[in-house]
Every structure is written in structure tokens, then in C-alpha cells.
Amino acid sequence: MNISPARLVAFQVLSRVQKGGCNAAELLHSELALTLGEQDLALSNELVYGVLRHQLLLDWVLSTHCTTDLVKLDSAVLLALRLGAYQLLFLDRVPARAAVHQSVELVKRAKLKSAAGLVNAVLRQTNRIDLSQATVALGEESDQATAVLYSHPQWLVTRWRRKLSREKLISLLMNNNQPPKTYFRMNTNQPEDIVLENLETAGIKVEPHPFVEGCWRVLKGNLLKTRVFRSGAIYLQDPASQLIARLLQVEPAHRCLDLCTAPGGKLTEIARQTQGKISAVGMDSRWERLQVTVQLHRKQWPRLSFVAADGRMTLPFSVLFDRVLVDAPCSGTGTLQRNPDIRWRLTPADLDVFPVTQLALLKSGAKCLKPGGTLVYSTCSLEEEENQSVVSRFLQEFPEYRLEIPADPRLGRFFSRDGYFQWLPSENNSDGFFAAVIRRRGYADQDERCLV
């Protein structure tokens, strides 16, 4: 039996992710997966994301049947074991014989034929267990047991336990291990009903988001294969991400700056809000990603401009902006459902590094803001060091800026009493986001909505 293309691609993707510096989602859309048919691509995605979401639990199960410490195994052997174990424990439609044999063949292909017997023996024993009964021995009370059962790093579980109730913690961990929903919004000036009608004709079934206007969830069909998607008339974007752009409350006459724009989702939502009439600049320090952003969006929104520059430095603009968005790079702990590989490469030390960059970007963006203008600082992180602490340090240093809660109840409802937008993934079935709306006081500004 030859190795199936889906399993081979999954093995290659996981191998690159494990070596570091590679993102699973990008690899699954790269040349590695170009030759896969629709069914093989679906299986490859299932295997990659399934192994990453359940990695710690899979390792715990495997360790009970393997006489060799897992950390001493060759990385290719461990990946083959994880792939086999995931199929045996989580995929009912995959025959056990195929799952075991394919993992053995992967090891042989990696020129580790001597480990074939070990892989075969461990997976055959794994196939005999009932996972729900086996995990009873773990319990759920300790952070270590919780980390294994829900497959998250123990240090992250401990952090979240300190700020969340037990119920909310388990809900968040369980949510992170579910496949993400697919959401989109309009990315055109065409009437919405015409776009939706075209999607229905293409066999796509959708439903509106319950409280994010203009956001749609895909219930059935492959959106990526439709002419509507390929034309750029719609844009895949999480509901919370859509709301971040709306917090700016832009108007056509405004001049707007998106400081960390790639891949351009929030910038184009800003353009869409004004039917493309706004003068907006998308800036990013990563030249390659900025070029992709330009290619994706310039045809749809020709009035957008793009600049490659490091947002931490003095910005190359001779004008001030009415609106500034600082969607800062972050740990991404609000996106572990969509990006499960993050949980395995993130370290506690990263939470000391990110805030330095985030504060620098926030300061740069604020210096480009007009008196009376509005800045939105946002991250897809759940960590206070990257969110409230960064904003608090900024406000202490720049007293002419104040937090503001939007007057629009459709936006204000998502703000906490301390003035921050906070969106927990498990409570809203989407990515987690944080945002602060910051207003620079004008010359005669007495806005009562500012939180002093």
C-alpha cells in the first residue's frame, strides 16, 4: 500500500511546523498541497489541525504504550505516531489497519525502517483503548491534568485559571479544540442581496451573524470555489475582526491610517464602510506581505494607498490622520482555535517581548493622530500584558489621550466597565479580540464619553 497523498502532505506540514518558523495554515495553502484533490486536501487539513489541537493528549496516550521516552524518539517517528493515534482515536471513518500501516510507511519513507516495528506495536495497542475511559485516570482538578486532557501548555492553563472561573476556563479550552466557523462580509459596493443570491445559486448556504450586522456564517458549501469569492466581492473575516475596523467609526471625509495592515482585512472593511470614498493608507513593515495585500485589494478599492515602513520608527507622513488603527502583532492567544500551532511555539518569555513592540507602535500611531481624532489599538490576544497594560502605560505617558466608549450601542455593548472591548472566543464562537478606543483631545474638547 502506497502512502496516501493526504497523509504525506500532513506529515510534511507537521514536520515543518515542528522545526519552527512555519505556519500550518500557510503551508496548507502552499505548493505542498497544490496537487491534492478536494477530498485529499480535506483529509490533510483534518490531520494537521487535529494533531496540533490534541498533541499533548496524543502524546500522553502514546507514552502509556511506548517503552521509549517520547522525547528520545526521532521527530519523524513521533510525528508518524501522532498521525496514527489521531486517526485511531478521533476519526471513526478511517479503518484502523490503514491508519497503522500508513504511519509505518511514513517512518520507512523517512529512512527510519528500524523504527517501523515500534510504530506498528504502539499504534496497535493504542487502537485497543477507549479514550473516554482512559482519561478518567487523569481527573480534571490539577493544571497538569487539565493541560493534558484539553491539550494546552500547562503554563497557559495556569495563567487563564488565575483570571477565569473553572467553567469559563474549560469552555475556552474546549472551544479552542473545535474547528473554526467560516465567516465573511461583503467586500464590494454591489447590493448585498445580489451577492447573496449569487452565492445561493452556487450552492452556498449562509446565515447572518446574530449581532454583528453584515457578517455571514457559511453553513454549507465550499465558498473558496465560487466565482463570488474569486472576484473579491466577499472577504473571509472573523466577526470580531470586522468589529475592530468599525470601532473607528469612519466617515468618507476622514483621512485614515492602518499601521499594521497586512493582509488588509480591516483596511478594506474601513473602505467598505465608506463605499470606497475614504482616503486610507495601509502600512506594514513586511514588504512581501504588503505586496500580497496590494494584489488582493487594490482592484476592489483603488483609492487605498500602501506604504512599506517600520511602524516603530518615525513615520513617513507630513499630515495628521483623523483615524488611526494599530492592530498590533501579538501572541495570538485569542486565535488558538484557528491557529493551534501557536500554543506549541509560544513561551512565557514572549509575553515580555510583544508589549515592547506594541507600545512603540501605539506611540507612533498616536503621534500621527489629529487633535480630536480617534485611534483604535487592538490585538487578538487574551493576555493583559499585551492589552490593558500597554494602553495604561501609554495613557500615563500621554495625558492628552483618553479612553472612549462608542456611543453606538451596537458597538458599546461589547465594552467592559473599565472601557475596553473584550471578546472571549468561547463566549462568541469566533476569534478572541481586545481593543481600546483612544481619543486625542481637541482644542475645545469636552466630550462626556471620555473616561477620565
Side-chain angles (χ1 to χ4, degrees), residues 96-383:
R97 178 178 176 277
V100 174
H101 182 75
Q102 290 279 294
S103 288
V104 171
E105 292 302 309
L106 284 170
V107 169
K108 291 179 180 178
R109 191 179 190 278
K111 299 180 180 180
L112 295 166
K113 191 175 181 179
S114 60
L118 179 147
V119 170
N120 181 68
V122 170
L123 290 181
R124 286 184 180 278
Q125 292 181 61
T126 299
N127 185 46
R128 298 191 185 104
I129 74 166
D130 182 316
L131 185 59
S132 60
Q133 291 182 4
T135 54
V136 170
L138 278 172
E140 287 192 20
E141 293 305 316
S142 71
D143 289 350
Q144 182 181 12
T146 301
V148 171
L149 190 60
Y150 299 101
S151 208
H152 282 67
Q154 185 175 334
W155 70 268
L156 197 54
V157 169
T158 300
R159 281 182 61 86
W160 288 348
R161 175 183 53 77
R162 290 169 180 163
K163 66 177 181 179
L164 297 174
S165 67
R166 179 71 183 176
E167 182 181 0
K168 285 189 174 183
L169 171 64
I170 299 304
S171 179
L172 175 58
L173 298 176
M174 291 178 65
N175 180 80
N176 285 345
N177 287 339
Q178 298 301 312
K181 304 293 186 292
T182 299
Y183 296 98
F184 70 91
R185 59 164 171 82
M186 299 299 143
N187 193 43
T188 177
N189 286 328
Q190 280 185 287
E192 187 177 75
D193 56 346
I194 293 178
V195 177
L196 293 174
E197 184 178 331
N198 290 337
L199 285 174
E200 185 177 3
T201 301
I204 306 298
K205 185 177 180 181
V206 303
E207 68 175 4
H209 194 279
F211 45 82
V212 180
E213 185 179 349
C215 178
W216 298 85
R217 177 188 164 195
V218 178
L219 299 176
K220 181 183 178 181
N222 188 341
L223 198 64
L224 303 184
K225 288 198 166 187
T226 65
R227 183 178 298 178
V228 176
F229 174 78
R230 292 195 300 268
S231 71
I234 59 175
Y235 186 81
L236 297 180
Q237 190 172 24
D238 192 80
S241 180
Q242 294 182 36
L243 284 173
I244 296 300
R246 299 177 194 180
L247 294 178
L248 287 166
Q249 298 183 283
V250 295
E251 297 176 6
H254 286 156
R255 182 181 286 116
C256 183
L257 171 65
D258 182 359
L259 200 62
C260 308
T261 197
K266 297 178 181 67
L267 180 66
T268 53
E269 170 60 6
I270 290 167
R272 189 199 65 81
Q273 290 176 58
T274 62
Q275 294 76 52
K277 298 176 182 177
I278 195 170
S279 174
V281 177
M283 193 181 107
D284 206 279
S285 62
R286 298 159 293 183
W287 172 258
E288 295 81 7
R289 292 198 69 192
L290 190 64
Q291 292 307 300
V292 173
T293 303
V294 172
Q295 293 170 11
L296 281 174
H297 303 301
R298 177 155 279 172
K299 181 180 178 182
Q300 207 74 18
W301 305 109
R303 293 197 61 180
L304 296 178
S305 302
F306 297 90
V307 173
D310 188 338
R312 296 169 298 179
M313 307 300 182
T314 301
L315 300 186
F317 304 112
S318 59
V319 298
L320 296 178
F321 294 86
D322 302 280
R323 298 289 187 268
V324 174
L325 173 62
V326 181
D327 184 43
C330 66
S331 64
T333 54
T335 68
L336 298 189
Q337 183 188 70
R338 191 175 307 280
N339 302 297
D341 41 325
I342 288 177
R343 68 181 83 173
W344 307 121
R345 66 170 179 261
L346 192 68
T347 69
D350 291 326
L351 300 182
D352 295 324
V353 175
F354 280 115
V356 176
T357 296
Q358 292 157 349
L359 183 59
L361 290 168
L362 179 52
K363 289 180 179 180
S364 291
K367 291 174 182 177
C368 288
L369 188 66
K370 282 183 178 179
T374 298
L375 179 150
V376 169
Y377 170 80
S378 64
T379 74
C380 53
S381 167
L382 306 181
E383 314 313 314

Side-chain angles (χ1 to χ4, degrees), residues 18 22 31 81 241 355 442:
Q18 184 167 280
C22 292
E31 59 183 14
L81 284 169
S241 180

